[in-house]
Amino acid sequence: MRIAILGAGAIGAYAGAALHRGGADVHLIARGPHLEALRADGVRVLSDRGDFTARPNATSDPREVGPVDFVFLGLKAQHYAACGPMLRPLMGPHTAVVAAQNGIPWWYFHGLTGPLADHRVHTVDPGGSVSRAIPVERAIGCVVYAATEIEAPGVIRHLEGTRFSIGEPDRTISRRCTDLSEAMVAGGLKCPVEQDLREDIWVKLMGNITFNPLSALTRSTMAQICRDRSSRELARSMMNETLDVAARLGVNPTISVERRLAGAERAGDHRTSTLHDVERGRPMELDVILTAVVELADMVGAEVPTLRTVDSVARLLNARLTDGSVAERMTAAAAAAAPARAA
């Protein structure tokens, strides 16, 4: 099995190292000092489950890799629309693209029946730009429950979790999903094939839609948000509104808000990837996590005043982060304050 990891950052390099350890022919596509370290020393994974090193091929040029069976996307969702030129050299007639993203995917309504069949979520697929770059028939959904960060170039710190849930948008149990699951399990990961991945999407989204923007806006960890009475109530309201939207779309996650909050508090002083991005002056992965749910709420007639308010102020911050001069100043300040880390 040939697998390319497009965007071999914290999650991508971790998954690629595990797949290589399990016997797959893995090719990491990265850039900069991280790529140089991957080429020189391989991927060094540091984990309470046991450290290991994997030495898959690493390159910056997908043309050196050629067609593969699977492309695992380790990119943030806001980069999907522009990834077409990097994807094309990797695509054979039957190549599947495993979209390991947070939030609402561009394929969400693909393969469904009824009035919402093949509806486009404009926030995450504006003008069909993502669907053109990654045709929906090639997509395999993936919800990541693992937490990792780049401790140093080529060094991945595994913090918790090994589960990568996957599934077809059309709710079939396909051979390509079972093949990928077997390869992931051979590498030491959990990889259940779900008949309908949408419940997993909303369970994960309950946390992302709440803690990612709140942590960035307040510069607080998940535990700090949960331990403060006012911010905990804010988080509770955001989760309840999210569950209302999900229910109106026919999805009812089996986890309660209180259990989700308790789990976040137990995570301790975990800094979300969105907080790391803001500290480096990078734009937040906001559209698929929060703005898309506001769009869906409008579509199904759900009242989401808390989500709408947080989305408004978070988008204002994002607008500043996309201003190059602001981002440059914030990045310089972060670099002067502490060693760089990414999650």
Side-chain angles (χ1 to χ4, degrees):
M1 183 182 292
R2 301 191 80 231
I3 302 175
I5 310 294
L6 182 55
I11 284 293
Y14 173 66
L19 285 161
H20 182 270
R21 181 173 62 170
D25 178 15
V26 175
H27 302 264
L28 306 178
I29 300 170
R31 61 184 181 180
H34 186 53
L35 172 60
E36 294 173 9
L38 294 173
R39 283 172 165 166
D41 302 312
V43 184
R44 294 173 53 207
V45 176
L46 308 180
S47 173
D48 291 343
R49 294 174 176 267
D51 301 347
F52 70 96
T53 299
R55 298 180 182 274
N57 176 52
T59 180
S60 63
D61 188 352
R63 292 173 299 181
E64 295 178 0
V65 178
V68 296
D69 299 304
F70 295 93
V71 178
F72 183 99
L73 283 184
L75 305 170
K76 291 289 182 71
Q78 63 261 36
H79 301 306
Y80 282 9
C83 76
M86 297 289 283
L87 270 177
R88 269 181 226 115
L90 304 170
M91 305 299 274
H94 305 292
T95 302
V97 179
V98 183
Q101 68 161 95
N102 289 322
I104 302 297
W106 81 102
W107 53 259
Y108 188 87
F109 292 104
H110 176 65
L112 298 183
T113 57
L116 294 178
D118 298 322
H119 175 82
R120 177 183 298 154
V121 185
H122 297 282
T123 302
V124 301
D125 190 13
S129 56
V130 177
S131 295
R132 285 192 296 272
I134 315 169
V136 289
E137 62 271 12
R138 291 189 181 267
I140 291 176
C142 179
V143 177
V144 179
Y145 292 94
T148 60
E149 63 183 17
I150 299 177
E151 188 161 289
V155 180
I156 306 300
R157 171 69 65 179
H158 173 242
L159 302 172
E160 63 178 350
T162 61
R163 181 178 162 193
F164 292 72
S165 295
I166 63 173
E168 293 283 356
D170 65 0
R171 296 171 170 160
T172 59
I173 302 295
S174 67
R175 176 63 183 271
R176 64 183 187 177
C177 276
T178 56
D179 286 347
L180 177 62
S181 174
E182 289 171 3
M184 298 279 273
V185 170
L189 303 175
K190 296 178 181 177
C191 189
V193 180
E194 305 291 351
Q195 184 159 11
D196 192 346
L197 195 64
R198 290 167 181 83
E199 180 170 336
D200 282 73
I201 286 171
W202 287 99
V203 169
K204 180 81 183 291
L205 186 55
M206 285 173 67
N208 289 141
I209 201 172
T210 303
F211 296 109
N212 287 41
L214 291 184
S215 66
L217 291 168
T218 65
R219 304 304 195 269
S220 301
T221 66
M222 292 166 61
Q224 288 169 335
I225 292 169
C226 289
R227 290 168 187 157
D228 178 84
R229 184 172 62 181
S230 297
S231 58
R232 188 184 184 94
E233 186 58 36
L234 178 61
R236 182 181 288 108
S237 295
M238 294 177 73
M239 288 188 185
N240 280 322
E241 290 177 7
T242 300
L243 287 177
D244 182 36
V245 177
R248 290 168 187 254
L249 290 169
V251 181
N252 292 284
T254 55
I255 187 170
S256 70
V257 168
E258 292 308 316
R259 183 179 169 191
R260 200 70 178 85
L261 287 168
E265 187 171 1
R266 284 195 304 271
D269 289 319
H270 175 67
R271 301 164 70 78
T272 68
S273 59
T274 304
L275 177 54
H276 282 293
D277 285 341
V278 169
E279 289 174 336
R280 285 160 181 73
R282 299 171 184 162
M284 294 179 282
E285 187 181 32
L286 190 64
D287 287 348
V288 297
I289 288 175
L290 177 52
T291 312
V293 178
V294 175
E295 178 184 338
L296 292 176
D298 290 339
M299 186 178 74
V300 298
E303 295 293 331
V304 289
T306 313
L307 294 180
R308 200 178 300 278
T309 299
V310 175
D311 182 53
S312 295
V313 294
R315 282 192 289 113
L316 181 59
L317 174 58
N318 237 17
R320 294 185 64 242
L321 293 170
T322 57
D323 180 324
S325 60
V326 172
E328 193 173 302
R329 290 197 301 273
M330 292 183 70
T331 301
R341 299 171 71 199

